[in-house]
PDB file of all heavy atoms in Angstrom:
ATOM      1  N   THR A 321     -27.959  71.238 -41.406  1.00 98.00           N
ATOM      2  CA  THR A 321     -28.502  70.182 -40.559  1.00 98.00           C
ATOM      3  C   THR A 321     -29.072  70.846 -39.321  1.00 98.00           C
ATOM      4  O   THR A 321     -29.054  72.077 -39.193  1.00 98.00           O
ATOM      5  CB  THR A 321     -27.443  69.135 -40.190  1.00 98.00           C
ATOM      6  OG1 THR A 321     -28.072  68.030 -39.516  1.00 98.00           O
ATOM      7  CG2 THR A 321     -26.368  69.716 -39.277  1.00 98.00           C
ATOM      8  N   MET A 322     -29.581  70.016 -38.398  1.00 98.00           N
ATOM      9  CA  MET A 322     -30.190  70.544 -37.181  1.00 98.00           C
ATOM     10  C   MET A 322     -29.768  69.699 -35.992  1.00 98.00           C
ATOM     11  O   MET A 322     -29.718  68.469 -36.082  1.00 98.00           O
ATOM     12  CB  MET A 322     -31.718  70.531 -37.320  1.00 98.00           C
ATOM     13  CG  MET A 322     -32.450  71.201 -36.183  1.00 98.00           C
ATOM     14  SD  MET A 322     -34.225  71.339 -36.557  1.00 98.00           S
ATOM     15  CE  MET A 322     -34.778  72.200 -35.090  1.00 98.00           C
ATOM     16  N   THR A 323     -29.454  70.352 -34.899  1.00 98.00           N
ATOM     17  CA  THR A 323     -29.035  69.631 -33.704  1.00 98.00           C
ATOM     18  C   THR A 323     -30.219  68.908 -33.071  1.00 98.00           C
ATOM     19  O   THR A 323     -31.374  69.290 -33.246  1.00 98.00           O
ATOM     20  CB  THR A 323     -28.421  70.584 -32.673  1.00 98.00           C
ATOM     21  OG1 THR A 323     -29.384  71.604 -32.354  1.00 98.00           O
ATOM     22  CG2 THR A 323     -27.159  71.237 -33.206  1.00 98.00           C
ATOM     23  N   ASN A 324     -29.910  67.850 -32.314  1.00 97.00           N
ATOM     24  CA  ASN A 324     -30.964  67.158 -31.561  1.00 97.00           C
ATOM     25  C   ASN A 324     -30.675  67.114 -30.065  1.00 97.00           C
ATOM     26  O   ASN A 324     -31.359  66.435 -29.310  1.00 97.00           O
ATOM     27  CB  ASN A 324     -31.201  65.746 -32.109  1.00 97.00           C
ATOM     28  CG  ASN A 324     -29.940  64.901 -32.118  1.00 97.00           C
ATOM     29  OD1 ASN A 324     -29.052  65.072 -31.275  1.00 97.00           O
ATOM     30  ND2 ASN A 324     -29.846  63.985 -33.070  1.00 97.00           N
ATOM     31  N   THR A 325     -29.658  67.847 -29.626  1.00 97.00           N
ATOM     32  CA  THR A 325     -29.380  67.987 -28.200  1.00 97.00           C
ATOM     33  C   THR A 325     -30.303  69.060 -27.621  1.00 97.00           C
ATOM     34  O   THR A 325     -30.761  69.947 -28.349  1.00 97.00           O
ATOM     35  CB  THR A 325     -27.925  68.428 -27.975  1.00 97.00           C
ATOM     36  OG1 THR A 325     -27.679  69.591 -28.791  1.00 97.00           O
ATOM     37  CG2 THR A 325     -26.949  67.341 -28.354  1.00 97.00           C
ATOM     38  N   GLN A 336     -21.907  68.927 -30.548  1.00 98.00           N
ATOM     39  CA  GLN A 336     -22.563  68.334 -31.712  1.00 98.00           C
ATOM     40  C   GLN A 336     -22.386  69.212 -32.951  1.00 98.00           C
ATOM     41  O   GLN A 336     -22.130  68.707 -34.049  1.00 98.00           O
ATOM     42  CB  GLN A 336     -24.051  68.124 -31.434  1.00 98.00           C
ATOM     43  CG  GLN A 336     -24.738  67.311 -32.523  1.00 98.00           C
ATOM     44  CD  GLN A 336     -26.150  66.943 -32.142  1.00 98.00           C
ATOM     45  OE1 GLN A 336     -27.022  67.808 -32.102  1.00 98.00           O
ATOM     46  NE2 GLN A 336     -26.391  65.663 -31.876  1.00 98.00           N
ATOM     47  N   ARG A 339     -19.013  68.634 -34.460  1.00 97.00           N
ATOM     48  CA  ARG A 339     -18.971  67.404 -35.263  1.00 97.00           C
ATOM     49  C   ARG A 339     -19.596  67.643 -36.634  1.00 97.00           C
ATOM     50  O   ARG A 339     -19.109  67.116 -37.642  1.00 97.00           O
ATOM     51  CB  ARG A 339     -19.671  66.270 -34.530  1.00 97.00           C
ATOM     52  CG  ARG A 339     -18.955  65.810 -33.265  1.00 97.00           C
ATOM     53  CD  ARG A 339     -19.482  64.468 -32.761  1.00 97.00           C
ATOM     54  NE  ARG A 339     -20.872  64.534 -32.330  1.00 97.00           N
ATOM     55  CZ  ARG A 339     -21.262  64.864 -31.099  1.00 97.00           C
ATOM     56  NH1 ARG A 339     -20.358  65.186 -30.174  1.00 97.00           N
ATOM     57  NH2 ARG A 339     -22.540  64.874 -30.781  1.00 97.00           N
ATOM     58  N   CYS A 340     -20.633  68.442 -36.654  1.00 97.00           N
ATOM     59  CA  CYS A 340     -21.273  68.771 -37.930  1.00 97.00           C
ATOM     60  C   CYS A 340     -20.358  69.625 -38.797  1.00 97.00           C
ATOM     61  O   CYS A 340     -20.325  69.476 -40.024  1.00 97.00           O
ATOM     62  CB  CYS A 340     -22.598  69.498 -37.689  1.00 97.00           C
ATOM     63  SG  CYS A 340     -23.860  68.478 -36.915  1.00 97.00           S
ATOM     64  N   ARG A 502     -32.195  56.319 -41.631  1.00 94.00           N
ATOM     65  CA  ARG A 502     -30.988  56.559 -42.430  1.00 94.00           C
ATOM     66  C   ARG A 502     -31.112  56.035 -43.853  1.00 94.00           C
ATOM     67  O   ARG A 502     -30.838  56.764 -44.808  1.00 94.00           O
ATOM     68  CB  ARG A 502     -29.798  55.893 -41.726  1.00 94.00           C
ATOM     69  CG  ARG A 502     -28.503  56.000 -42.485  1.00 94.00           C
ATOM     70  CD  ARG A 502     -27.357  55.421 -41.692  1.00 94.00           C
ATOM     71  NE  ARG A 502     -26.111  55.459 -42.430  1.00 94.00           N
ATOM     72  CZ  ARG A 502     -24.942  55.082 -41.939  1.00 94.00           C
ATOM     73  NH1 ARG A 502     -24.875  54.651 -40.688  1.00 94.00           N
ATOM     74  NH2 ARG A 502     -23.846  55.147 -42.664  1.00 94.00           N
ATOM     75  N   ARG A 526     -31.463  70.716 -46.611  1.00 98.00           N
ATOM     76  CA  ARG A 526     -31.287  69.847 -45.456  1.00 98.00           C
ATOM     77  C   ARG A 526     -31.865  68.483 -45.796  1.00 98.00           C
ATOM     78  O   ARG A 526     -32.977  68.385 -46.305  1.00 98.00           O
ATOM     79  CB  ARG A 526     -31.994  70.384 -44.212  1.00 98.00           C
ATOM     80  CG  ARG A 526     -31.786  69.429 -43.012  1.00 98.00           C
ATOM     81  CD  ARG A 526     -32.741  69.668 -41.880  1.00 98.00           C
ATOM     82  NE  ARG A 526     -32.548  68.643 -40.830  1.00 98.00           N
ATOM     83  CZ  ARG A 526     -33.351  68.504 -39.789  1.00 98.00           C
ATOM     84  NH1 ARG A 526     -34.394  69.306 -39.633  1.00 98.00           N
ATOM     85  NH2 ARG A 526     -33.123  67.541 -38.906  1.00 98.00           N
ATOM     86  N   VAL A 527     -31.102  67.435 -45.523  1.00 98.00           N
ATOM     87  CA  VAL A 527     -31.595  66.070 -45.641  1.00 98.00           C
ATOM     88  C   VAL A 527     -32.121  65.672 -44.271  1.00 98.00           C
ATOM     89  O   VAL A 527     -31.357  65.506 -43.329  1.00 98.00           O
ATOM     90  CB  VAL A 527     -30.473  65.119 -46.096  1.00 98.00           C
ATOM     91  CG1 VAL A 527     -31.003  63.696 -46.194  1.00 98.00           C
ATOM     92  CG2 VAL A 527     -29.904  65.576 -47.431  1.00 98.00           C
ATOM     93  N   LEU A 529     -33.250  63.306 -41.686  1.00 97.00           N
ATOM     94  CA  LEU A 529     -33.179  61.880 -41.373  1.00 97.00           C
ATOM     95  C   LEU A 529     -33.378  61.624 -39.890  1.00 97.00           C
ATOM     96  O   LEU A 529     -33.006  62.452 -39.059  1.00 97.00           O
ATOM     97  CB  LEU A 529     -31.802  61.314 -41.769  1.00 97.00           C
ATOM     98  CG  LEU A 529     -31.352  61.455 -43.217  1.00 97.00           C
ATOM     99  CD1 LEU A 529     -29.939  60.902 -43.359  1.00 97.00           C
ATOM    100  CD2 LEU A 529     -32.310  60.739 -44.155  1.00 97.00           C
ATOM    101  N   SER A 530     -33.947  60.473 -39.584  1.00 95.00           N
ATOM    102  CA  SER A 530     -33.948  60.013 -38.192  1.00 95.00           C
ATOM    103  C   SER A 530     -32.592  59.366 -37.947  1.00 95.00           C
ATOM    104  O   SER A 530     -32.444  58.155 -37.809  1.00 95.00           O
ATOM    105  CB  SER A 530     -35.086  59.009 -37.961  1.00 95.00           C
ATOM    106  OG  SER A 530     -36.335  59.613 -38.221  1.00 95.00           O
ATOM    107  N   ALA A 531     -31.579  60.214 -37.933  1.00 95.00           N
ATOM    108  CA  ALA A 531     -30.181  59.803 -37.778  1.00 95.00           C
ATOM    109  C   ALA A 531     -29.429  60.995 -37.209  1.00 95.00           C
ATOM    110  O   ALA A 531     -29.974  62.095 -37.100  1.00 95.00           O
ATOM    111  CB  ALA A 531     -29.588  59.366 -39.120  1.00 95.00           C
ATOM    112  N   GLU A 532     -28.189  60.781 -36.840  1.00 96.00           N
ATOM    113  CA  GLU A 532     -27.413  61.870 -36.264  1.00 96.00           C
ATOM    114  C   GLU A 532     -27.199  62.987 -37.289  1.00 96.00           C
ATOM    115  O   GLU A 532     -27.125  62.728 -38.497  1.00 96.00           O
ATOM    116  CB  GLU A 532     -26.072  61.361 -35.750  1.00 96.00           C
ATOM    117  CG  GLU A 532     -26.189  60.431 -34.551  1.00 96.00           C
ATOM    118  CD  GLU A 532     -26.939  61.056 -33.386  1.00 96.00           C
ATOM    119  OE1 GLU A 532     -26.728  62.257 -33.104  1.00 96.00           O
ATOM    120  OE2 GLU A 532     -27.761  60.351 -32.756  1.00 96.00           O
ATOM    121  N   PRO A 533     -27.104  64.236 -36.836  1.00 97.00           N
ATOM    122  CA  PRO A 533     -26.961  65.363 -37.758  1.00 97.00           C
ATOM    123  C   PRO A 533     -25.783  65.229 -38.723  1.00 97.00           C
ATOM    124  O   PRO A 533     -25.876  65.642 -39.885  1.00 97.00           O
ATOM    125  CB  PRO A 533     -26.771  66.558 -36.820  1.00 97.00           C
ATOM    126  CG  PRO A 533     -27.428  66.150 -35.555  1.00 97.00           C
ATOM    127  CD  PRO A 533     -27.196  64.675 -35.427  1.00 97.00           C
ATOM    128  N   GLU A 534     -24.686  64.659 -38.252  1.00 96.00           N
ATOM    129  CA  GLU A 534     -23.527  64.489 -39.134  1.00 96.00           C
ATOM    130  C   GLU A 534     -23.869  63.640 -40.354  1.00 96.00           C
ATOM    131  O   GLU A 534     -23.339  63.857 -41.448  1.00 96.00           O
ATOM    132  CB  GLU A 534     -22.363  63.826 -38.392  1.00 96.00           C
ATOM    133  CG  GLU A 534     -21.941  64.529 -37.111  1.00 96.00           C
ATOM    134  CD  GLU A 534     -22.569  63.939 -35.872  1.00 96.00           C
ATOM    135  OE1 GLU A 534     -23.812  63.878 -35.813  1.00 96.00           O
ATOM    136  OE2 GLU A 534     -21.813  63.526 -34.971  1.00 96.00           O
ATOM    137  N   GLU A 535     -24.759  62.665 -40.165  1.00 96.00           N
ATOM    138  CA  GLU A 535     -25.174  61.814 -41.273  1.00 96.00           C
ATOM    139  C   GLU A 535     -25.963  62.615 -42.306  1.00 96.00           C
ATOM    140  O   GLU A 535     -25.817  62.422 -43.505  1.00 96.00           O
ATOM    141  CB  GLU A 535     -26.016  60.644 -40.758  1.00 96.00           C
ATOM    142  CG  GLU A 535     -26.411  59.638 -41.821  1.00 96.00           C
ATOM    143  CD  GLU A 535     -25.230  58.862 -42.394  1.00 96.00           C
ATOM    144  OE1 GLU A 535     -24.164  58.827 -41.736  1.00 96.00           O
ATOM    145  OE2 GLU A 535     -25.371  58.298 -43.485  1.00 96.00           O
ATOM    146  N   GLU A 536     -26.798  63.526 -41.830  1.00 97.00           N
ATOM    147  CA  GLU A 536     -27.532  64.389 -42.750  1.00 97.00           C
ATOM    148  C   GLU A 536     -26.567  65.209 -43.606  1.00 97.00           C
ATOM    149  O   GLU A 536     -26.767  65.362 -44.817  1.00 97.00           O
ATOM    150  CB  GLU A 536     -28.441  65.343 -41.971  1.00 97.00           C
ATOM    151  CG  GLU A 536     -29.572  64.671 -41.218  1.00 97.00           C
ATOM    152  CD  GLU A 536     -30.531  65.666 -40.595  1.00 97.00           C
ATOM    153  OE1 GLU A 536     -30.206  66.884 -40.549  1.00 97.00           O
ATOM    154  OE2 GLU A 536     -31.602  65.236 -40.163  1.00 97.00           O
ATOM    155  N   VAL A 537     -25.536  65.723 -42.980  1.00 97.00           N
ATOM    156  CA  VAL A 537     -24.545  66.523 -43.695  1.00 97.00           C
ATOM    157  C   VAL A 537     -23.845  65.681 -44.751  1.00 97.00           C
ATOM    158  O   VAL A 537     -23.683  66.109 -45.913  1.00 97.00           O
ATOM    159  CB  VAL A 537     -23.520  67.127 -42.714  1.00 97.00           C
ATOM    160  CG1 VAL A 537     -22.426  67.874 -43.477  1.00 97.00           C
ATOM    161  CG2 VAL A 537     -24.215  68.058 -41.722  1.00 97.00           C
ATOM    162  N   SER A 538     -23.418  64.489 -44.373  1.00 95.00           N
ATOM    163  CA  SER A 538     -22.710  63.612 -45.314  1.00 95.00           C
ATOM    164  C   SER A 538     -23.565  63.273 -46.520  1.00 95.00           C
ATOM    165  O   SER A 538     -23.097  63.309 -47.661  1.00 95.00           O
ATOM    166  CB  SER A 538     -22.277  62.321 -44.600  1.00 95.00           C
ATOM    167  OG  SER A 538     -21.368  62.607 -43.558  1.00 95.00           O
TER     168      SER A 538
END
Side-chain angles (χ1 to χ4, degrees):
T321 188
M322 187 172 182
T323 57
N324 56 30
T325 52
Q336 189 172 71
R339 293 194 295 272
C340 293
R502 177 176 177 176
R526 180 196 175 188
V527 179
L529 303 177
S530 299
E532 293 304 319
E534 305 96 303
E535 184 67 19
E536 294 187 348
V537 176
S538 297

